[in-house]
Amino acid sequence: METKESSFTIKILLCLVIILVFFNCYLLYKRVFAVPDSAVLDESVIDLKSKYLTTAVDYMRNSGLYIGDCLYTDVATHTQCNLKALFENSEEDCFIVCRISEFDCEQCVNYSVQKLMENVNDSSLNIKVLIFGQYNNEMSLKIQAEFFSKLGEMTCFYVPNLNLPIDERRVPYYFVLNKDLKVTDVFAPDRMTSNLTDLYFSEIDKKWGGA
């Protein structure tokens, strides 16, 4: 499992390095040959470069952190427990989690959940989907859960606090939770960079397709 994790990390970081090198070369070219009306294009390229850098930082700051002591409430059964219980009566080796919050923009939340379910439904991923919601109350999340249930099979948990640095950014994000209750493969999707989200799920499929 450790080799699998290392290989995935190397692939993601290598892809990010290659992309950043490409954009740096592009920006250098534009500085030499740019025409006045290229300013808007340059700004969008710089913004895209920033998103790739943010993705790398999110991955490094959050992957490997332990969250087993965090509490959750199942919005369907109203039972409360800590995250350790997820694996106690389950044969699953891991879960893929989408973290959403009432502080996230509604379109971002919808995109993130829909993109996740599209990839889970259309790939060889044999992995259960969990939604960890940070809302003012359980009822607010339950309303969201009823809407998302049309997209496919998932379980929604009310999880007010995960103690992860990425929560400070107030954006939806994905991660894989394995049996040692450590966060791995952290990624915050963005509607403007769907190609990067597709790359993420392609690597997730290779790594956890037989989970």
Side-chain angles (χ1 to χ4, degrees), residues 122-195:
D122 297 340
S123 71
S124 61
L125 271 173
N126 181 25
I127 184 171
K128 289 188 175 181
V129 175
L130 304 180
I131 304 295
F132 283 3
Q134 183 186 33
Y135 283 76
N136 185 49
N137 54 60
E138 293 175 43
M139 184 55 64
S140 297
L141 178 59
K142 189 172 183 179
I143 294 172
Q144 285 282 53
E146 291 173 355
F147 172 74
F148 292 141
S149 64
K150 302 173 185 177
L151 302 174
E153 185 177 350
M154 66 182 76
T155 305
C156 287
F157 294 139
Y158 173 67
V159 187
N161 194 357
L162 278 179
N163 297 319
L164 293 177
I166 192 173
D167 271 341
E168 299 171 2
R169 293 219 293 120
R170 295 188 174 184
V171 294
Y173 61 92
Y174 310 129
F175 65 89
V176 174
L177 182 65
N178 54 34
K179 279 189 172 181
D180 61 7
L181 297 164
K182 291 183 178 180
V183 170
T184 66
D185 311 328
V186 180
F187 176 76
D190 190 311
R191 290 175 297 150
M192 302 303 293
T193 53
S194 286
N195 60 327

Side-chain angles (χ1 to χ4, degrees), residues 12 16 18 30 53 72 74 77 90 97-98 116 121 149-150 158 163 169 171 174 183 193 198 205:
I12 287 292
L16 290 170
I18 292 173
K30 295 298 291 183
L53 285 170
Y72 75 86
D74 189 324
T77 64
S90 172
V97 179
C98 182
L116 169 60
N121 294 333
S149 64
K150 302 173 185 177
Y158 173 67
N163 297 319
R169 293 219 293 120
V171 294
Y174 310 129
V183 170
T193 53
D198 292 336
D205 193 14

Side-chain angles (χ1 to χ4, degrees), residues 31-74:
R31 288 193 185 103
V32 176
F33 299 103
V35 292
D37 61 357
S38 66
V40 174
L41 179 59
D42 281 347
E43 185 176 343
S44 66
V45 170
I46 293 172
D47 184 57
L48 187 57
K49 179 181 176 182
S50 175
K51 286 183 173 65
Y52 284 120
L53 285 170
T54 302
T55 295
V57 172
D58 285 340
Y59 192 90
M60 290 184 290
R61 290 186 67 202
N62 297 275
S63 287
L65 297 182
Y66 177 82
I67 60 172
D69 295 325
C70 296
L71 297 177
Y72 75 86
T73 302
D74 189 324

Side-chain angles (χ1 to χ4, degrees), residues 100-101 104-113 135 144 148 172:
I100 60 175
S101 168
D104 306 334
C105 77
E106 185 177 356
Q107 289 182 326
C108 299
V109 170
N110 292 339
Y111 169 81
S112 299
V113 177
Y135 283 76
Q144 285 282 53
F148 292 141

